[in-house]
Amino acid sequence: MTTEREKMARGDWYTCLDPELERLRIAARTAVHAHNTAAPEKRRTIAPALRALLAHAPPSAIIEAPFHCSYGLNISLGEGVYLNAGCTILDSARVEIGAGSMLGPHVQIYCADHHRDPGKRAKGLEIARPVRIEKDVWIGGGAILLPGVTVGAGAIIGAGSVVTRNVPAGATVAGNPARLVPKRI
């Protein structure tokens, strides 16, 4: 029999109200709490409990407090990644943040997409779509990345933007929904 966690990992519809998934979310909240309540002189590093939870987090990656994630185990950070205060990553699917990328304060990354049928949604039915941020991306404060998007290397996402589709490498997007900003000559 397939577990809800296995369905989630495969990108199939799964029930988020599952006891195993709840245990994983509690473990993530515990690790996040340890990180968010670390002494001020340790705030520029990732707390050991959170680092152990993440799929990959090199010593050069920085996560400012406060931070929130759903599971943590699906988050992979590249060298020199910087997440400013208030970032939220709802990582029901894989979230990759490439080397040298910088996320402004209160950036939100969502992987879970809920069912459109209200009855199924009320039963916790959702599907997880990965989010990929390639290297050297700059994401302005308050931006939201929706499930399944890829942001190409060197792209810039304007503050407050809602990214609903893939962003090409080197592009600048802004707005809600985020649209290409013409390059100035």
Side-chain angles (χ1 to χ4, degrees), residues 56-109:
H56 182 73
S60 62
I62 296 172
I63 301 176
E64 298 281 2
F67 170 74
H68 176 76
C69 64
S70 298
Y71 298 98
L73 52 92
N74 291 316
I75 300 171
S76 182
L77 306 177
E79 293 290 337
V81 164
Y82 179 78
L83 277 61
N84 209 325
C87 284
T88 296
I89 303 176
L90 302 184
D91 63 309
S92 50
R94 187 152 177 80
V95 174
E96 297 177 34
I97 303 176
S101 292
M102 299 176 5
L103 281 63
H106 300 285
V107 167
Q108 301 171 57
I109 299 172

Side-chain angles (χ1 to χ4, degrees), residues 64-169:
E64 298 281 2
F67 170 74
H68 176 76
C69 64
S70 298
Y71 298 98
L73 52 92
N74 291 316
I75 300 171
S76 182
L77 306 177
E79 293 290 337
V81 164
Y82 179 78
L83 277 61
N84 209 325
C87 284
T88 296
I89 303 176
L90 302 184
D91 63 309
S92 50
R94 187 152 177 80
V95 174
E96 297 177 34
I97 303 176
S101 292
M102 299 176 5
L103 281 63
H106 300 285
V107 167
Q108 301 171 57
I109 299 172
Y110 306 150
C111 292
D113 193 3
H114 301 277
H115 206 285
R116 301 303 182 260
D117 178 276
K120 291 180 180 178
R121 190 170 52 246
K123 292 178 182 172
L125 203 58
E126 62 186 39
I127 195 163
R129 302 280 187 230
V131 172
R132 184 166 186 244
I133 299 166
E134 295 180 352
K135 69 178 186 160
D136 300 320
V137 170
W138 176 24
I139 302 176
I144 299 172
L145 281 68
L146 295 184
V149 301
T150 295
V151 180
I156 298 171
I157 298 173
S161 297
V162 178
V163 180
T164 61
R165 56 182 53 121
N166 294 344
V167 177

Side-chain angles (χ1 to χ4, degrees), residues 13-80:
W13 289 101
Y14 66 95
T15 303
C16 64
L17 304 175
D18 177 69
E20 178 186 14
L21 294 178
E22 179 60 18
R23 283 191 299 277
L24 291 172
R25 288 189 296 268
I26 290 169
R29 285 194 297 271
T30 301
V32 164
H33 177 75
H35 177 78
N36 289 340
T37 58
E41 66 273 10
K42 296 188 181 210
R43 288 274 172 101
R44 296 217 24 112
T45 62
I46 300 172
L50 181 57
R51 186 178 303 283
L53 184 71
L54 301 176
H56 182 73
S60 62
I62 296 172
I63 301 176
E64 298 281 2
F67 170 74
H68 176 76
C69 64
S70 298
Y71 298 98
L73 52 92
N74 291 316
I75 300 171
S76 182
L77 306 177
E79 293 290 337

